[in-house]
Amino acid sequence: MRNTAFAVALSLCAAQAGATGLVIEVDGEAQGTITIDLLEDVAPKHVEQITALASEGAYDGVVFHRVIDGFMAQTGDVKFGKTGDDFNMRMAGRGGSDRSNLPAEFSDVPFERGTVGMARSQDPDSANSQFFIMFGQGSFLNGQYTVVGRVTDGMDVVDAIKRGTGANGTVVGAPDRMVTVKVTE
């Protein structure tokens, strides 16, 4: 019996040790750290793409371009959403990465407060680099968008992200941004 309990405990520790996540440093109206547990068992291709982009530094300096109060904060446009000399807020949200779009990995994981989902166009197989964090419950997204993770710490930072006041939640003025995005194990 002890050997079985020990084996179960050891396998749980190994599973937790191998878990992948993101640590996002945010600056702007919101300031602080958001920690996300990525669900590689639910959406392995999406998690692989996000972690590759984060490891390359592609998300560093990318703004939260679409933020709808009570719904979600969207970021991750590594092509047009990166702050710098040629940054144009009107273009943020229209791009992705140089990587291929991903086939949908829909699951039964619900969209609740703190859920991280992949943004996409009307085509279910068009997710690329953009993702969003839920402020609240969004059951109308269940089975329609790929869930990639959950916020485990820093929802206060998510809640403080500057809300969009433009059309469809577009942020007007200086948006909050992800200063750095690091992969954790």
Side-chain angles (χ1 to χ4, degrees):
M1 184 70 166
R2 284 186 198 178
N3 287 343
T4 304
F6 178 74
V8 169
L10 188 60
S11 67
L12 286 173
C13 288
Q16 290 173 346
T20 303
L22 296 177
V23 175
I24 303 171
E25 292 297 326
V26 177
D27 193 26
E29 285 187 16
Q31 295 186 359
T33 304
I34 302 168
T35 304
I36 295 171
D37 178 24
L38 294 172
L39 305 176
E40 52 271 315
D41 56 328
V42 173
K45 291 177 181 148
H46 288 75
V47 169
E48 182 181 343
Q49 185 129 313
I50 288 172
T51 56
L53 289 166
S55 295
E56 295 166 3
Y59 287 125
D60 296 353
V62 174
V63 301
F64 287 89
H65 64 273
R66 182 173 178 237
V67 184
I68 301 174
D69 194 31
F71 179 33
M72 60 87 209
Q74 186 171 330
T75 186
D77 179 352
V78 301
K79 184 173 184 179
F80 298 122
K82 193 173 282 237
T83 53
D85 293 337
D86 58 349
F87 175 70
N88 180 344
M89 188 60 186
R90 288 179 289 191
M91 291 298 293
R94 296 181 184 194
S97 72
D98 291 336
R99 297 174 174 272
S100 297
N101 288 346
L102 299 164
E105 294 178 292
F106 299 151
S107 68
D108 60 357
V109 177
F111 278 89
E112 301 170 335
R113 178 172 167 74
T115 297
V116 181
M118 289 298 288
R120 62 171 176 81
S121 68
Q122 294 292 338
D123 177 359
D125 299 327
S126 63
N128 186 285
S129 66
Q130 294 187 42
F131 60 92
F132 57 91
I133 304 171
M134 300 295 292
F135 289 125
Q137 184 270 115
S139 60
F140 57 94
L141 299 175
N142 293 349
Q144 305 293 315
Y145 286 79
T146 299
V147 172
V148 293
R150 291 188 183 99
V151 173
T152 57
D153 193 32
M155 272 308 292
D156 57 325
V157 178
V158 174
D159 289 336
I161 294 171
K162 182 179 180 177
R163 302 306 198 259
T165 57
N168 203 18
T170 303
V171 175
V172 176
D176 290 356
R177 65 187 175 95
M178 300 185 292
V179 178
T180 60
V181 180
K182 303 291 183 201
V183 178
T184 62
E185 297 244 0

